[in-house]
Amino acid sequence: MQATEFKQLFLPCHRKLFSVAYRLIGNVQAAEDMVQETFLKLWMQRDKIEGIGNPEAYSITVLRRLFYDRMRTARLPEVDKDVGSLQVVSSQNLSRQVEDNDEYVQVRQMIARLPEPQGRIMVMRDIEDRSFEEISTETGLTEVNVRSILSRARKKIREQIKTIQHGKD
């Protein structure tokens, strides 16, 4: 596969790839890095992937596999300690950790399901800890508008959490 054919097949997928990467990662720069890594992987495999039916679906699959590989390796830190010297976590602490992680994942999913620009603004402010001025500059909205949208987004998330908590009772 030549470079021109590769560009014609995969460059139109950039927006969709970025969207998927952003939803997975929640960070603009890391999502763009992941898209570039996906393009690099596709380029390295260009001779093997000639004649694919749906380049967008294929490239999204590659991106997701790269993401899950990265997440898998991030969870497996190397330890230089002797196994006997490691402390055993109490089951109570472990269960609390699992519960906290599950709640975090649920909230991230709720944010990801918010309509644009609410989800993006909430990620930028509450997760990436950006200032209202930075968000305003990047989105092209006024700071007052950003605050209003953020307030509505937080209210929706609070309502969803209350619904889930009432369901557990």
Side-chain angles (χ1 to χ4, degrees):
M1 178 182 298
Q2 298 298 320
T4 55
E5 185 182 356
F6 181 85
K7 289 177 184 178
Q8 288 174 341
L9 277 177
F10 293 108
L11 284 185
C13 306
H14 183 272
R15 282 189 99 133
K16 185 68 172 179
L17 285 172
F18 179 79
S19 176
V20 170
Y22 182 77
R23 293 236 183 240
L24 289 170
I25 299 170
N27 178 307
V28 173
Q29 291 176 330
E32 189 58 46
D33 289 345
M34 182 68 71
V35 171
Q36 294 305 316
E37 193 175 335
T38 302
F39 282 139
L40 179 63
K41 182 126 181 148
L42 290 167
W43 177 252
M44 301 300 277
Q45 297 176 347
R46 69 187 178 277
D47 296 331
K48 299 174 190 171
I49 58 175
E50 284 195 49
I52 58 171
N54 189 339
E56 185 176 284
Y58 186 82
S59 59
I60 289 171
T61 300
V62 170
L63 180 130
R64 286 184 185 200
R65 286 183 181 159
L66 285 170
F67 172 76
Y68 293 129
D69 286 347
R70 186 182 287 179
M71 295 306 292
R72 199 174 307 115
T73 56
R75 287 188 198 144
L76 303 172
E78 290 187 27
V79 178
D80 293 335
K81 296 180 182 178
D82 179 33
V83 174
S85 69
L86 296 174
Q87 293 181 355
V88 177
V89 179
S90 74
S91 62
Q92 189 175 30
N93 288 344
L94 183 61
S95 67
R96 182 66 196 155
Q97 246 182 340
V98 169
E99 192 175 304
D100 288 345
N101 189 40
D102 186 45
E103 289 172 357
Y104 172 78
V105 169
Q106 284 181 329
V107 170
R108 285 295 300 224
Q109 289 172 346
M110 287 179 203
I111 293 171
R113 288 190 299 262
L114 285 172
E116 280 297 324
Q118 287 181 351
R120 186 168 58 139
I121 289 174
M122 192 166 193
V123 166
M124 292 167 77
R125 179 67 181 161
D126 293 335
I127 296 174
E128 295 175 2
D129 200 29
R130 293 192 178 180
S131 70
F132 287 107
E133 183 181 350
E134 288 177 297
I135 297 169
S136 174
T137 302
E138 188 167 320
T139 60
L141 301 168
T142 66
E143 286 186 43
V144 173
N145 201 354
V146 168
R147 289 176 193 272
S148 174
I149 291 169
L150 182 62
S151 175
R152 280 187 244 122
R154 287 176 176 165
K155 183 178 178 184
K156 282 184 182 180
I157 297 297
R158 275 193 301 273
E159 289 170 358
Q160 291 176 13
I161 289 172
K162 284 181 185 177
T163 303
I164 289 172
Q165 287 175 344
H166 288 305
K168 288 181 181 179
D169 294 340

